[in-house]
Amino acid sequence: MNELKELGEFGLIDLIKQDTINDHSSVVVGIGDDAAVLLPTPRQLQLLTTDMLVESVHFKLTTTTPWQLGYKAIAVNLSDIAAMGGVPRHAVVSLALPQSTPAEFVTNLYKGMKEICRAFGVNIVGGDTVSSPHGLVINVTVAGEVEPANLVCRSGARPGDVVAVTGNLGSSAAGLDLLTAGEWEDFDFAWPLVTAHLTPRPQVKLGPVLAAAGATSMDDISDGLASEAHEIAKASQVGIKLYAKQIPLAPELAEAAGQLNKQALDYALFGGEDFQLVFTMEPGNYEALLAAYLDLPVVKVGEVVDADEGVTLVDEDGQAQKLEARGFNHFRQEE
Amino acid sequence: MNELKELGEFGLIDLIKQDTINDHSSVVVGIGDDAAVLLPTPRQLQLLTTDMLVESVHFKLTTTTPWQLGYKAIAVNLSDIAAMGGVPRHAVVSLALPQSTPAEFVTNLYKGMKEICRAFGVNIVGGDTVSSPHGLVINVTVAGEVEPANLVCRSGARPGDVVAVTGNLGSSAAGLDLLTAGEWEDFDFAWPLVTAHLTPRPQVKLGPVLAAAGATSMDDISDGLASEAHEIAKASQVGIKLYAKQIPLAPELAEAAGQLNKQALDYALFGGEDFQLVFTMEPGNYEALLAAYLDLPVVKVGEVVDADEGVTLVDEDGQAQKLEARGFNHFRQEE
């Protein structure tokens, strides 16, 4: 098996640049020149987002395959574009790799990236590949486009709006706990949760649909529902009331939480990396949305209220409690 | 002094997002939402480039200040945009930082980035800040724009074209050797070389000028002139003949090379990170360019020839020799 130090940087680039363009009409120059050259769609706004994944912080190579890792590195960025109501178009990928990395690892990493890019018509148009003295680092930047009328920021929520999410929450964080605990393969309930953690499917198609239907604010759920609710509340200067009973949980989550001695709801509120969308919308528009799409996986989880009510959770007994913003926070020491 | 783990991720973001927008007219949403929202200039092509700098590979914190490091992390990307004939517009910055990093280090890193962005009207519109278990990693992605008529790729050089560069070569690599050797501060000749290495000034203004004047191919010199000449020759399917006597060297380089027991010309040919531009142009256009701009720092260093002549260097005695493509190559073991 070839190691990178035998292949060299240019040999590596030749290895990965196949099958990187899925929408040829928008790429003038892809991988191989000083910069990619892209043809923008007229009268659209440009979106730009970037995410860095660091070995031992965001992933462990003992619990993810390179294919899954590549898939996820792209997925987390597509999710950010969807959360603005936009469509992802192009990705550039930086990799810092230990010299001893097998070439096969890198090609499998790229296979995962290419697979999700192909699924959503995204082009990989460039990158940078360098050596790393300690562990793997992946940085992906995605450029997208959004119709000006479809742009949704965090700041547009208004009191009276519905708060809704696009799918089950908490699965990814429970999946991570199962991976960390180990010996999860024997439990049927573990598979969907672990899969939700390793290869989250971003809501690329739903983002623009919700935007066009009148979402007043939107966020992707990367740090748990509580944290995202606080971000929308802060940016929009409103309060948010969530109902514990309405938060959608995968059927497997309760079983996993029992096994892990945790509360299922805590995973949904404070766990991260679900990459579902949370959005707010006027009730009339929300009803129209549900009527227009029969099988839409959206679930109402609360309401936008006045700022002075803050962010609260109404528990199973109907008691409203202040909801903390805690989620995963780099650099902050956990209690 | 605050460490990052006391400040937290959001405290850090608040600290750095001041003074990041230099061209307000093109930014709809900057730092703080899921993605930046940008207003493209109509009828221009979009450029996208990314570069990753890894501690102990690309820099050592013993030989660079955080300000210089921030400046350089942006500079290397602006250089790539200039090499396409384009204008840099927006940057997104990912940082992986050890938990013990002082907050002051990060603000100084950003001061360096903000300084060069201000100089060239570039906006910092987003990023990602994560923790790192081992050393600092910086990834910058820059989006730029280019008039379609101004786009210059590596592939347009034609036999008969002039080959020229925009300034002295080899200074940066000699500066790195001086830094590595240490005790360079007492030598007056060392300062301009070390400065060329730590804070290279990318040819942001010249790139579009050369493009408009008819450059047929262009590359920024990140891996030494020999390597870039090979890249242009390969992409354009031509040969390139360089003249050793004509390659511009800083007056301090000869002195430093003597001190370091190296050849000054080797630094220019095989050293890296000068971030000057090398370009090709029809002789008539090149004469017109020199006539139009009196103080243009461009120097003819060779000619484009037929592909079967390969890439050669004519030495001081008039002898043509095959020129190797060697330069800095990640993953390839050095002899």
Side-chain angles (χ1 to χ4, degrees), chain A residues 5 46 94 139 141 154 331, chain B residues 5 32 46 94 139 141 331:
Chain A
K5 61 186 173 196
Q46 184 193 349
S94 297
N139 193 88
T141 302
R154 287 181 189 154
F331 309 120
Chain B
K5 62 186 173 196
Q46 186 192 349
S94 297
N139 193 87
T141 303
F331 308 119

Side-chain angles (χ1 to χ4, degrees), chain B residues 286-310:
Chain B
Y286 186 71
E287 292 307 318
L289 171 73
L290 296 186
Y293 295 88
L294 281 180
D295 294 324
L296 212 60
V298 301
V299 180
K300 181 182 164 179
V301 295
E303 292 133 19
V304 179
V305 294
D306 286 331
D308 53 16
E309 293 193 41

Side-chain angles (χ1 to χ4, degrees), chain B:
Chain B
M1 201 184 303
N2 281 328
E3 289 190 352
L4 291 180
K5 62 186 173 196
E6 292 154 32
L7 201 61
E9 187 177 355
F10 297 107
L12 179 66
I13 293 170
D14 285 339
L15 204 64
I16 60 191
K17 76 177 175 192
Q18 307 305 317
D19 304 319
T20 48
I21 308 301
N22 294 299
D23 171 22
H24 288 268
S25 70
S26 63
V27 180
V28 181
V29 178
I31 294 171
D33 213 310
D34 291 303
V37 185
L38 310 165
L39 193 63
T41 310
R43 289 177 294 281
Q44 301 226 336
L45 295 169
Q46 186 192 349
L47 303 171
L48 207 56
T49 187
T50 195
D51 270 294
M52 184 175 268
L53 302 183
V54 178
E55 186 176 344
S56 329
V57 177
H58 299 88
F59 62 90
K60 289 184 173 58
L61 292 179
T62 49
T63 58
T64 182
T65 67
W67 192 100
Q68 291 166 330
L69 181 60
Y71 181 102
K72 185 168 180 173
I74 298 286
V76 301
N77 282 282
L78 302 192
S79 181
D80 282 321
I81 298 292
M84 305 301 290
V87 176
R89 297 283 189 209
H90 311 286
V92 291
V93 176
S94 297
L95 294 178
L97 298 163
Q99 294 241 356
S100 60
T101 306
E104 197 185 358
F105 179 96
V106 183
T107 51
N108 284 329
L109 187 78
Y110 265 86
K111 277 184 190 164
M113 291 197 278
K114 289 172 186 176
E115 174 67 23
I116 185 169
C117 283
R118 187 163 42 238
F120 295 116
V122 174
N123 308 304
I124 301 175
V125 295
D128 192 18
T129 308
V130 300
S131 60
S132 165
H134 300 289
L136 178 59
V137 181
I138 308 179
N139 193 87
V140 175
T141 303
V142 170
E145 293 180 327
V146 62
E147 296 274 355
N150 266 11
L151 176 65
V152 185
C153 299
R154 288 182 188 153
S155 51
R158 293 293 165 261
D161 285 356
V162 166
V163 178
V165 299
T166 57
N168 292 328
L169 303 184
S171 298
S172 173
L176 173 59
D177 272 0
L178 290 166
L179 282 169
T180 305
E183 301 184 6
W184 54 271
E185 292 92 339
D186 295 339
F187 299 104
D188 285 343
F189 65 77
W191 287 90
L193 306 174
V194 166
T195 301
H197 180 72
L198 293 177
T199 51
R201 191 157 179 92
Q203 293 288 12
V204 175
K205 301 290 177 197
L206 269 184
V209 168
L210 300 175
T216 52
S217 75
M218 192 149 58
D219 221 344
D220 73 324
I221 305 180
S222 51
D223 293 324
L225 181 60
S227 174
E228 310 304 340
H230 272 276
E231 290 200 358
I232 288 175
K234 186 180 170 192
S236 301
Q237 298 182 280
V238 296
I240 284 180
K241 184 187 284 188
L242 299 172
Y243 295 92
K245 263 196 279 196
Q246 297 178 18
I247 295 171
L249 307 175
E252 297 83 2
L253 180 59
E255 216 170 336
Q259 188 85 12
L260 293 157
N261 288 316
K262 297 273 180 74
Q263 299 297 316
L265 191 63
D266 279 354
Y267 281 117
L269 290 171
F270 308 116
E273 304 206 334
D274 283 311
F275 300 110
Q276 296 294 342
L277 300 172
V278 53
F279 63 97
T280 58
M281 194 178 277
E282 286 181 20
N285 287 335
Y286 186 71
E287 292 307 318
L289 171 73
L290 296 186
Y293 295 88
L294 281 180
D295 294 324
L296 212 60
V298 301
V299 180
K300 181 182 164 179
V301 295
E303 292 133 19
V304 179
V305 294
D306 286 331
D308 53 16
E309 293 193 41
V311 178
T312 57
L313 179 73
V314 178
D315 67 19
E316 310 267 333
D317 305 323
Q319 301 295 312
Q321 300 168 11
K322 196 166 173 300
L323 186 61
E324 284 179 87
R326 88 184 139 89
F328 188 75
N329 181 331
H330 289 276
F331 308 119
R332 180 75 77 180
Q333 282 173 310
E334 303 289 327
E335 292 92 316

Side-chain angles (χ1 to χ4, degrees), chain A residues 226 229-230 233 238-242 309-313 321-323:
Chain A
H230 272 276
V238 296
I240 285 179
K241 184 187 284 188
L242 300 172
E309 292 192 43
V311 178
T312 56
L313 179 74
Q321 300 168 12
K322 196 167 172 302
L323 187 60

